[in-house]
Amino acid sequence: MTNIRVLLAEDQGMMRGALALLLGLEDDIEVVAQVGTGDAIVPAALEHRPDVALLDIELPGMSGLDAAAELRKQVPGCRVLILTTFGRPGYLRRAMEAGAAGFLVKDGPVEELARAVRRVLAGETVVDPALAAAALSAGPNPLTAREREALRAAVDGATVADIAVRLHLSESTVRNYLSAAIGKTGTRNRAEAVREARQQGWL
């Protein structure tokens, strides 16, 4: 039987090494590439042609969700399984929109992960059941693409003027987007809105 070729993207070296070691103990799984940044995912996938890519979400360079969308375009034969510490409903929705075939939280047993790798390769969709239920009850992301952009630009405490320059918008437009985002997140200011949107997985 041919081994399932797996690409592993995880920014913490120890976790990446442990996952690679544990998956490598499975008779039918071979970890063919390991990367620690999001922007290394697509080049590694083009080089090694994995069957399944296991991606963390929060990676330096490019998020696992953005990388999943790129993989769908550039390496369509590769199935994507998101593996994250953060079981946030908004992340699950975004992962599915990006074309991911599965979404698991990292605290599950490695046998479950190996099983999920086999299942997504067989064409199934594998989602952590508790997270699926939470995502259904949470409803869709209320923020528009522009509101998310304005909030992301505000993450480092940038002023409205800074954000306007960065996004090539007028200051009044930026204020409108931020004000709408604050209203939709039910918060009192930009910092709280960023925190809440991140907590929900909307950013």
Side-chain angles (χ1 to χ4, degrees), residues 87-107:
R88 294 171 184 165
Y91 278 166
L92 173 59
R93 282 182 178 275
R94 286 170 58 202
M96 295 298 127
E97 283 163 12
F103 195 107
L104 294 175
V105 285
K106 282 181 190 167
D107 56 7

Side-chain angles (χ1 to χ4, degrees), residues 88-94 97 132-144 147-148 184-185 196-197 200-203:
R88 294 171 184 165
Y91 278 166
L92 173 59
R93 282 182 178 275
R94 286 170 58 202
E97 283 163 12
L136 285 171
S137 62
N141 184 344
L143 302 173
T144 65
E147 288 160 5
R148 288 199 300 273
K184 287 177 181 178
T185 53
E196 179 63 18
Q200 294 293 339
W202 293 336
L203 276 192

